[in-house]
Amino acid sequence: MEGDSRTHIILVHGACHGAWCWFKVATRLRSAGHRVTTPDLAASGVDPRPLREVPTFRDYTQPLLDILASLPPGEKVVLVGHSLGGISIALASELFPEKVAAAVFLAAFMPDHTLPPSYVIEKVRSATDTMDTEVKPQDPEGKLPASLLFGPQFTRQKVYQLCSSEDLTLGASLMRVSSYFVEDLQLQPPYSEDRYGSVRKVYIVGKDDLAIIEAYQRWMIENNPVQEVKELNGADHMSMLSRPDELAQCLADIAEKYV
């Protein structure tokens, strides 16, 4: 996994998680010579804001957008979005297509450019048994998006089912209340074909994912064709924890090819 210091990979976490979930993969990529950035999105990880201070999906994604805005002219990055992070990297690609060498969707929600970005989330959620996961209103008026917290059973059986017991303990202790921001994303126009659509995309399928099952990952790929599809065998939803060596190698290969 020989690296090139010119390759800058940005790893974007999903809902309820933070930059911490990338610790194994970030370490492997950096040791191979890649530059790696792992932002905490708003109200996630060690970001101090509570969810109620993050009313829109753009507010939630702003830490990532700030990184892209600050890149020197001409620098291109590989954006990797996991789960809900797929919508974040899609928004970043819409706003900064010239700064994205490739957008990599890791078992992630991947919007198309004909429907609002909420569509893929709602379609997958409607067909997934989320067990003891809590989705509830934040305010009586419904002005804020509903909050989300993965339940212990859902986390253990469908998100971390192939992870070590240590990784499950770590995840359970660090998860925070988050949101799918569906109410806000329903109001947003589709990401455009000439901006988001122009960015080269790779989808990494988690073959044993029970949170966003393979059939729905494949449906999103059919719905919005990508340059390349890669597969991770034996990967649950948290492939960065359950299959860190394979995922790091996969991302290194993508960076080498597209940067």
Side-chain angles (χ1 to χ4, degrees), residues 10 24 51 92 104 117 119 137 139 149 155 160-162 164 190 195 198 200:
I10 301 179
K24 295 181 185 181
L51 183 63
V104 182
Y119 176 69
D139 58 320
L149 184 62
T155 299
Y160 284 70
Q161 86 272 10
L162 298 177
S164 70
R195 294 181 69 82
S198 71
R200 295 181 297 179

Side-chain angles (χ1 to χ4, degrees), residues 195-232:
R195 294 181 69 82
Y196 166 63
S198 71
V199 171
R200 295 181 297 179
K201 298 173 185 67
V202 179
Y203 201 103
I204 303 177
V205 174
K207 296 284 287 179
D208 295 283
D209 194 327
L210 299 180
I212 302 178
I213 62 170
E214 182 179 359
Y216 281 101
Q217 296 178 61
R218 300 281 181 190
W219 168 77
M220 286 186 277
I221 294 164
E222 285 174 29
N223 190 45
N224 188 46
V226 298
Q227 270 66 36
E228 193 173 352
V229 178
K230 291 179 171 281
E231 296 180 352
L232 287 177

Side-chain angles (χ1 to χ4, degrees), residues 4 8 47 49 59-60 66 76 83 85 94 101 107 133 138-140 143 156 175 187 191 195 203 228:
D4 184 331
H8 184 181
D47 183 272
R49 283 166 285 192
D59 293 329
Y60 168 73
D66 291 343
K76 289 189 171 224
S83 199
E94 175 72 16
T133 293
Q138 288 194 75
D139 58 320
K143 291 180 180 175
R156 185 173 61 252
M175 276 192 216
L187 304 175
Y191 299 138
R195 294 181 69 82
Y203 201 103
E228 193 173 352

Side-chain angles (χ1 to χ4, degrees), residues 46-109:
V46 297
D47 183 272
R49 283 166 285 192
L51 183 63
R52 65 178 178 276
E53 292 179 14
V54 186
T56 70
F57 186 77
R58 181 155 179 168
D59 293 329
Y60 168 73
T61 304
Q62 196 62 48
L64 171 63
L65 305 180
D66 291 343
I67 291 168
L68 290 175
S70 70
L71 292 175
E75 181 175 340
K76 289 189 171 224
V77 298
V78 175
L79 284 181
V80 182
H82 172 247
S83 199
L84 184 64
I87 309 288
S88 292
I89 69 167
L91 173 59
S93 298
E94 175 72 16
L95 297 173
F96 300 100
E98 73 287 351
K99 297 191 175 190
V100 183
V104 182
F105 295 83
L106 172 62
F109 294 114

